[in-house]
Each structure stands twice: as structure tokens, then as C-alpha cells.
Amino acid sequence: MILVSRHLEPPNPSPQPSRHQPVLLEETVRLLAPERGGFFVDATVGGGGHAEALLAASPEVRLLALDRDATALERARMRLERFGDRVEFVHAPFSALASLLGPERVGAVDGLLADVGVSSDQLDERQRGFSFQQDGPLDMRMDRTTQKTSAAVLLANAGEDELETWLREYGEERWSRRIAHAIVKQRRFGPLLRTSQLADLVARTVPGGRGGIHPATRTFQALRIVVNRELDELDALLEQAPELLARDGRFAVISFHSLEDRRVKEAFRAEVRGGRAEDLAPRGVVPSAAEKRANPRSRSARLRALRRL
Ligand SMILES: C[S@@+](CC[C@H](N)C(=O)[O-])C[C@H]1O[C@@H](n2cnc3c(N)ncnc32)[C@H](O)[C@@H]1O
């Protein structure tokens, strides 16, 4: 394997307060019904916006806040400080949730939230390499302490067919073959280490983006999903969640593209068909026009929620 880890940049040592705007905030809180009190889990605490609203809804809410990004967890800790020991922070991927909870809390979760994907804090921090809009190292790891494989390492080592499959399956990119070929050709002249190199390469290779979308959007999405094994993570959570919930416990998921939403929809349908849960929003909840205007990053979000019977 070709290792190009020297291109990475150190994390920001003292994070600024979060600038992430929580998506579908009111709708999520309504569906999770925290006014009941009880034990809640925010599996993707990020900047802590949803967690804050859940904790503020009732003094009887206790919350386990999880994130695989240590910097995000630090930000959430600053924001949620005033709730004292009602909040517990854990640095872990949510695929490990069942084992983290331990036997006494499995089957005792009153509300579980997963707001999957990346936050604005991650997207806007150039050194994280998630964005094609600013130049940075091609990193894209959410957890820089345990994940060893950056996007640059993947690009340096994948075969053309493998790249094509990622772009087609995880980016739903119609120009997958062309882009994969261009990446492999470019590698002969040196490794792709910067986000701007990749974004320019894709922009030169495919016709202009549709509907004002940058032509590299889908390539970046695909790579991010592979670097972080995002769909495996989501599948693992969807499999564990029903067993974790208490009776009347709620499970809400906010997803940002059809690959994720399809999985959530199917997992929820299986629970409803089995008579184990009620679907609280069968068609999903999407942001209002006003929210999309105020926060364009919310535009592809869809919220789904279940109640355990
Ligand atoms: C969209 S943000 C969440 C924002 C949060 N709801 C708020 O209001 O600020 C997604 C967060 O989930 C985290 N994340 C994504 N996948 C994860 C996983 N598999 N396990 C744990 N955290 C994950 C990311 O690091 C990121 O901080």
C-alpha cells in the first residue's frame, strides 16, 4: 500500500464554538418527545444543537452524547456544560453503541437520535479535507485518532474498477468511469494530495454540474462514505437500535442522501411489519422552505422516526 500520510495537517488544537445549525430541530424534538424525561442517546452529538434542545426540554432528561470526532465532542462539551452530570460524553462510533451501553441500559433507551453525515464544523475546517470549496489535504477522516486511511491514501491505492464502483455506488455519479480513469491517469504524474487537485481534475473531466451543483460534489460524497465506512456504520446502528429502545422509546434518524434514507426506510418498515414499532412519520419529514433558505445545507435532509410498541 502506498502511504501518503505526510500530507495530513494536525487538528485544530482549541476548537471554536460550533457553527453548525441543527437541522429539523423542532420536528426532531417533537418526535423524540423529551418532555417525558428519561434516558436519551444522541449518537451524533456534533456541535450539540439537538442535544441541547433535548436536555432543555425537561430536567428529567439524561443524555449519552456520542461522536467519533474528538473535536466535535470537545465543542459539544463546551456547549452542554451547564447541564452538568446529566450528560455523559463518549468518543466512539455509533456502531459500538450496544456494547457501550452495557446490559443494564440495553432496552432502556427512551430516545435515540442519529443525525448522520458531516457537520458544518467539519466541512468548513479546511484541514479536514471534506470540502471541494476550499483547498486542504485530502483527509476526510471523522476520527483522526483511530482511523488510519485518509482519502488520499485510498486514491493512491485503489484500482480503476474499484474507484469506478465507489463513485457509481456511493456517489451515484453518472460519469464514474471517466472520473476513475482520469484519477488513475493523473497518478502517473504524482499523488493526489489536495482537495483542490481532485476538485479541478473532476471539473476538467466531466460536463458542468447540473442545477448549480459543483461537478465534484458526488465524487467527494463517495470518497467520504468509503473513508468513514458510513453505510456500514448506519447499517450497524439500524440493526441494534430496536433492541436498545425501552417500551414507548423513540428512534429518530436524519439522513442527507437517498442511499442512507433508503436503508432507514427499509429498516423501519421491517419493524412496523413485525408489529414491534409504529412509524411516526411514514413519509419522512423534510425541511420547510424557510429552513432551506436560512440553511441551504439542510436542503437534502429527511427525518424519520419510530416508536417502540
Ligand atoms: C450532522 S452532524 C450532527 C450535528 C448535531 N446534531 C448538532 O445539532 O450539532 C454529524 C455528526 O455525526 C458524527 N458522526 C458521523 N458518523 C458517525 C458515527 N458512525 N459514529 C459517531 N459519530 C458519527 C460526525 O462526526 C458529526 O459530528
Side-chain angles (χ1 to χ4, degrees):
M1 180 186 268
I2 303 168
L3 288 172
V4 283
S5 54
R6 269 166 309 164
H7 70 288
L8 302 176
E9 292 178 23
N12 188 350
S14 49
Q16 298 298 307
S18 176
R19 294 160 59 94
H20 181 84
Q21 291 183 46
V23 167
L24 289 163
L25 181 61
E26 270 175 39
E27 296 86 342
T28 305
V29 171
R30 182 173 51 76
L31 289 168
L32 285 172
E35 65 286 352
R36 295 171 297 143
F39 174 52
F40 284 68
V41 176
D42 186 341
T44 54
V45 72
H50 286 102
E52 182 176 44
L54 292 172
L55 286 155
S58 160
E60 301 303 323
V61 167
R62 284 167 293 111
L63 183 98
L64 179 73
L66 217 72
D67 206 293
R68 71 192 300 193
D69 180 341
T71 312
L73 214 57
E74 226 18 75
R75 286 199 176 93
R77 210 188 286 276
M78 289 174 352
R79 179 167 191 166
L80 304 176
E81 203 174 359
R82 72 177 195 276
F83 298 104
D85 61 7
R86 287 169 56 202
V87 200
E88 187 188 332
F89 297 91
V90 179
H91 179 215
F94 53 58
S95 54
L97 185 56
S99 56
L100 284 171
L101 288 178
E104 74 287 358
R105 295 198 289 187
V106 164
V109 176
D110 297 299
L112 168 58
L113 170 64
D115 174 15
V116 294
V118 281
S119 68
S120 296
D121 299 320
Q122 291 166 327
L123 275 171
D124 294 341
E125 199 178 324
R126 196 193 55 70
Q127 303 94 307
R128 304 296 302 261
F130 285 107
S131 171
F132 46 76
Q133 280 163 338
Q134 333 178 48
D135 181 47
L138 270 169
D139 188 342
M140 300 196 190
R141 291 167 303 151
M142 289 188 192
D143 180 352
R144 286 168 295 179
T145 55
T146 63
Q147 290 176 245
K148 300 290 173 226
T149 311
S150 66
V153 171
L154 285 178
L155 285 176
N157 292 285
E160 188 168 329
D161 287 346
E162 196 175 13
L163 283 168
E164 192 276 328
T165 307
W166 292 342
L167 294 167
R168 181 169 33 81
E169 288 190 0
Y170 303 139
E172 300 181 291
E173 172 58 72
R174 62 193 286 226
W175 303 107
S176 54
R177 172 65 49 211
R178 264 201 212 185
I179 299 172
H181 185 68
I183 290 171
V184 170
K185 215 165 120 194
Q186 181 67 34
R187 284 197 314 220
R188 293 191 209 127
F189 304 101
L192 282 161
L193 300 178
R194 311 288 300 178
T195 53
S196 56
Q197 273 179 294
L198 179 63
D200 293 348
L201 176 71
V202 177
R204 285 198 308 274
T205 305
V206 305
R210 280 160 296 159
I213 294 175
H214 189 286
T217 307
R218 290 167 181 276
T219 298
F220 273 65
Q221 173 184 307
L223 270 177
R224 205 194 81 199
I225 289 177
V226 179
V227 169
N228 296 293
R229 302 174 58 92
E230 288 181 37
L231 298 177
D232 292 343
E233 279 288 314
L234 181 59
D235 288 343
L237 182 70
L238 292 170
E239 199 181 314
Q240 294 167 28
E243 300 309 314
L244 306 180
L245 295 177
R247 216 165 130 198
D248 200 34
R250 317 270 177 124
F251 176 32
V253 183
I254 304 172
S255 59
F256 288 84
H257 51 79
S258 55
L259 292 171
E260 290 166 346
D261 184 55
R262 213 173 297 146
R263 285 171 146 77
V264 179
K265 191 164 122 186
E266 277 165 21
F268 280 20
R269 193 176 287 160
E271 287 305 297
V272 172
R273 284 214 183 112
R276 296 179 291 274
E278 173 196 3
D279 194 334
L280 298 175
R283 302 174 65 176
V285 182
V286 295
S288 64
E291 177 167 3
K292 286 188 206 167
R293 257 196 317 278
N295 179 14
R297 281 180 180 159
S298 72
R299 64 180 178 257
S300 55
R302 186 178 290 268
L303 163 68
R304 296 187 182 273
L306 268 192
R307 181 176 74 90
R308 171 117 193 235
L309 298 176

